[in-house]
Structures are given as structure tokens and as C-alpha cells.
Amino acid sequence: MTAELTRGQNHPLPRARLEIRISAGTPVVAGATLGDEDGTVHGVEWVAHPGAPTLPGLEVSRQAAADHRLAVDLDAVPDAVHRVSVLLALPVGGTGPARFGTVAAPFVAVTGIGGDEVASYTVTGLEAESAVVALELYRRQGAWKVRAVGQGYAGGLAELLADQRLSGARRLAGSIHEAVASGLARSVPVPPARTADGDRGRPAAAPAHGPDHGAASQDGPGGPVPSASPYDPQGVRGPQAPQGPGQHGTQQPHPGGPAEPATAGQSSAPAPGAPIDYSHPRRQHAAPPPPPPTAPPADPGQPARPVAGDANGWSMEERLYNQVWGMFEDLARTTAAYRSAVDFADSRMERELDQVLSDPRGRIGGQGDAAREAARARHGRLVSQAREALDRDVAQLVAEAEVVEPALPAAFARWDNPVWHAYRVPMEIPMALRLGDLHLPEAEHIRVPMLIRLPFERGLWIDSGRSASPDGSFADSQDMRRLGLETAVAHAARLLAVYPAGEFAVHVIDPAGSGTRALAPLVRSGVLAAPPALGAAGAADVLARLTQRVDLVQMALRGGASDALPPGLDTSQQLLIVNEFPHGFDDRAVNQLRYLADEGPAVGVHLMMVADREESAGFGPLLDPLWRSLLRLTPVADDHLADPWVGHAWTYEPPLVPPGSQVLHEVLDRVAAARRSWER
């Protein structure tokens, strides 16, 4: 039975391997400190945080999120450790809340690996505090207990760490917040949260152990899952017990109801050699309005075949959008389960081999050799089980991708999709835009569309530096600049193509005129708002006009007089492409760019920078906020993006036009014709 703790209460812990689940109403930083009998933290190496997430027996989330999973193995913590304190803090420097008194009370639960709850605590009574010690696991007479602490600190992480007598507390707190800001900058933005009465996302469910992942995770610690899905308010169990494709646990009432425990050991995942179950997790008991398309009839006894649009939503576009994000999440979590199982198998074999070497009797004769062979055999079985489960899950996702990809609308489709040959200028703005593809090394055969909601909440940075080519295949800086601008043109063309006529305008600053060839499709078709601006004077003129537009719209909105805008003001969405930055930009122009990056998206002005960060090093830290505010993309494949659930490094591939294809020119010609017709 779960113990619901109040502040100061404690409860014995029945096992050493635990999960600490955190749910907050806003993204928070989760960490932990290791303390001695007096609670003293003896150094930064005793603190687990997003910048250093792993300590012996402890692993925390790598980024700020509203939901966290922390993995704890109390048998693996050092003997000198007698306290494990779980910390929560609000990120600094962003647009989120600055104190816990303005958000919902954080909920913290200590569970077993299987999800069975041991104790829980709701951290109430916080007001001006921005950091809090939520729970404390402590050792008393050889046994471990959990205590509800709820001690808040108005001075944030620095004050909290200093209270635990950590030297250099303020410096460490700064590095933690810097690591959090860096993680948020490289994370693919999650879809906006739905309201309870308007939720049209995927139905949520808590998973049950699959036969293979469960076998591996019964012994292994499992890695943490920093964030739950935006479609799954209660979250899932994490890598050691994933909600992989075809695995079904308990169904959570939709939306947001409490989950019911699954029967121990129960799973609908197919046994090895059995037919693949293509039914998707968390989509089994909810009928989206309007109903989803009916699956093609299958032979009796055979699993249902995958169907495009097999997700909740009011329209086919929304169902496909939710389905793609569901595939993205499923692949992230099933890969996390595989990596966690392999890590555990490696650590277990290393521990067993150390035990053999530490026993003098095992160093001679055949007994030691037999023990080493047995350890390697167990390692091989665990890795093989994990790989079989991963391959099964990936096969299901590949089969689903094969039916989803051809059904995607133009805004979600690759340039080689036949949907572009029947392209017509839309009458409505789509939900999202495809900015490329994402994949993981464990699943090379599946590419997940990277769909970002429209209108963009962040600008884009197309990195044209050599660092964007990890394999060195594009070492020539001129090649990288050309590819960077071609990628920017492809993105701009997609944006122009998915907006209705007259509702999206593109401006270009090309101070040195070096992008003439790459910009030719936009210039020749006549879709630009004006010819590319050349030289410092041209750049200053464009920046002044767009900055003035942002100021006017902001004043009108704040004053509640949006109908009082100047009659000649273009109220459509605006995109500014900046090439060859920082050439031709003085300090004033740089400040205007920073202003557009920060304030522009909220009023319809978006920035797309094609730049090499190393070339702008002369500006020093002045530009650091600019780079962090932009979503970094690359003109070549690069593994710099992270998912918002587990934090894997995903390889990003830009959406380039196939060689020799005329689809981009044809689409831009139709956009230009529609624009001329609209202007008449």
C-alpha cells in the first residue's frame, strides 16, 4: 500500500533499486546530492545534475521537463553516502515562472522498477522559493528510509547547495543552469499542451513489462526518462519498461484520469516468432472525433495492419501530426530501453569479472575460466534479448512509416513525395511544417519527420560552419556556405508553399552578394517581398523596417488597438533570411537581430540565420543569447538535436530537393502566380 507522506514523515524502503518520479506543472530542473551522515556534500562530484547526470547508483534527467524519472540503486552508492537528497529548481533566464508559489505543487513518488508506488509526497506550502529539497533517502542502522522534506529556498540552487555545506555552491548552480539552457536550446520543441476539454492528442496509458525488456530490467537499474509525453500526462515507466510499439499496459482514462495498475507480468507484446502486432500503444480504447479511418481487413487470426491517421484528431492532418509525434516518442523510448539494458548487461559482466579476479581461488585452474565464460554468456543473453525486443519494435514502426509517409500532406511531406506534383496554394495555414528527418543509429531504416508547429516560436540558425560536417566530407568552407544557403532557400520555399497567398513574405539580406546562385529560385520566381538587400546600407534598411513593424504591432496589441495599425503595414507573417553573418553588420545591426530573434516570433517576424558561429567570435559573449534563442539546423547530416523525452542525440537530415528535380521551381511558380492573383 502506498504511503502518502506529509512534511517530516518517513517510510521504510523495501528494496534498493527504485525510481523517483516527479510531476510538476511547469518544466523544472531535477537533481540529487549525496551526503554523509551529517548531510554534508563534500564536492561537486557528489552532485548529480543535467550537466553531470550520472553518479554511482544514481542517474538524473539531462534536461528540464515537467515530468522526470530518476533511477536509484542504493546498493551501488558509496559506503560513505548516508543521504540522497532529491532537488527541484525552476530554470532561470527563461520565460517560465520564477517561484514555485505560482505553479501547481510538485508531486514526487518513490516507486519500484515495475512502477509499484512505495511512497509519495506533494510538496505544498511553497511561495517565493525557486528551489526545494523534495525528498531525502537516508540510511539508518543499515536500512534505507525515505523522508518528506519540502525545504524551499528563495535564493535558488545556490542557496540550497550552500545549505548542504558544498564549497563553490554558487559556481555549480550557475553551471547547472547553463547546462539546462543548452539542453533546451538543442531540444526539438514538443507540441503545445492541450486543455482538458480540448485534448485531441494520443490517448495515454501506462505500460506493462514486455517479455524481453522486462527480463532485462528485472536486474538492471534502467535509465531515467526526463520527460513524459505531451500526450501522456501520467508518463510512462521509462527505458527499463518502455511503452514500445505493440506493448500495452493499462489504459488511462482520457484525458488525464488516473491509471490503473497492470497485472504483474502481463503483456500483449508478441512472443519471439509470433506475428507482429501493429496496433499502436496508447491508441486502443479512444475514438477520435471524427472516427479514425478503418483498417483494411486482415486475415482471421492476423494482427491489424498499420493505418495512416491512427491517432486522435479533428482532421486527417491533425491525426497524422499526432501519429508522427507518437512514432517519434515510441522510437525514443524503445531505444532508451535497449540502451539501458545493454548498459546494465555491461556493468553486470564487469562486476562479475571483478568478483572472479578478487577471489584468489578463481585465478588458477579452470574454475576462474568457467566463471568468466558464464559471465560473458549471461551478458550475451541479456544483450540478445534487448536487441530482439528493439528489432521487433523497430519493425513495427518501419511498417507504420511505410503507410504514413505516402499519406502526408504537402506541409509534412518530403520534396520527393508525389503530393507536390499536385500542389495547390492552400486556403488555410497547416498545423506544422517538416524541417527535416531524424533517426537513431540503432534504427537506421526509419526516418521520423521533424514536424514543428506553425507559426514558429523560435527562429532558425542554419549552421554553415565546418563543425556542421562531423565526418569532414564538407571541409571546404565555401561548400558549407553554399549548402547552408540552399538549405535556407528550401525551408523558405516550404514556408511560402504552405501559407495562403499573401499571408507570408520573405526578405533576404545578402551583404556581399555571395548568395546570388543559391537565391536564384526565390528571385527568379518573384516570391520575395523585395530584391535581396546588399551592403551594410541595405541590411540596415531591412532591419529598421522589420524592427519598426515589431514595435508597432507590440504597441497595438498591448494597447488593445490592433485596428489602429498604419494602413500600409503588412500584417502577414514575415521571414528574414540573413546570409554571411556577421559580414556587413555593425553593433547596431547585431542588436536589432537580437531584438528580432527575441521579440519577433510573438508578432509574426521570424529570423533565419545562415552563419558560421566561429566567424562571429569577435563579438564575444554578446551573441551567445542569439545562438541559444535559435533552433540550430545543419545543411548536412549531424547528430546535434535531442528529443524532449529521453534526450537521445538524434541525427538530423535537412529536407533537400532531390538532384535534378524541378519540384521547387514548379511550386514557387505556383506560389508567385497565386500571389499576383491575390494582389489584383
Side-chain angles (χ1 to χ4, degrees), residues 129-358:
E129 297 87 347
S130 59
V132 61
V133 177
L135 290 178
E136 179 183 73
L137 311 182
Y138 65 98
R139 183 171 9 208
R140 182 68 54 83
Q141 296 179 348
W144 285 91
K145 295 183 179 182
V146 58
R147 177 187 291 122
V149 180
Q151 177 63 53
Y153 297 85
L157 269 179
E159 183 182 350
L160 185 155
L161 295 171
D163 191 47
Q164 297 188 356
R165 297 180 288 281
L166 172 67
S167 60
R170 187 169 300 278
R171 184 169 58 254
L172 177 60
S175 66
I176 291 173
H177 287 302
E178 184 178 347
V180 170
S182 176
L184 291 174
R186 63 187 291 266
S187 177
V188 178
V190 298
R194 301 285 188 182
T195 58
D197 58 350
D199 193 341
R200 294 174 280 177
R202 304 171 66 204
H209 282 288
D212 293 325
H213 289 320
S217 64
Q218 286 171 1
D219 298 308
V225 177
S227 171
S229 164
Y231 309 105
D232 182 3
Q234 299 297 325
V236 300
R237 291 184 178 172
Q240 71 282 353
Q243 179 69 36
Q247 295 181 349
H248 312 296
T250 59
Q251 176 65 32
Q252 176 178 313
H254 183 71
E260 299 175 0
T263 304
Q266 182 179 0
S267 173
S268 62
I276 294 175
D277 179 8
Y278 286 117
S279 55
H280 226 284
R282 299 184 296 282
R283 302 185 202 163
Q284 304 307 305
H285 308 294
T294 304
D299 296 334
Q302 296 296 317
R305 293 190 290 272
V307 176
D310 182 21
N312 283 359
W314 291 99
S315 65
M316 187 58 162
E317 178 193 45
E318 187 172 9
R319 291 199 294 267
L320 287 168
Y321 173 81
N322 289 338
Q323 186 172 15
V324 167
W325 266 87
M327 294 166 60
F328 185 16
E329 180 188 354
D330 289 338
L331 184 56
R333 294 194 184 278
T334 196
T335 303
Y338 169 73
R339 292 180 179 179
S340 176
V342 172
D343 288 344
F344 165 69
D346 292 342
S347 63
R348 176 175 176 172
M349 183 178 67
E350 183 178 349
R351 186 170 62 250
E352 291 175 346
L353 293 177
D354 287 343
Q355 290 174 353
V356 172
L357 292 174
S358 63

Side-chain angles (χ1 to χ4, degrees), residues 490-511:
H491 287 311
R494 293 177 72 88
L495 283 163
L496 285 164
V498 302
Y499 272 84
E503 293 194 22
F504 197 86
V506 177
H507 309 263
V508 176
I509 294 178
D510 185 22

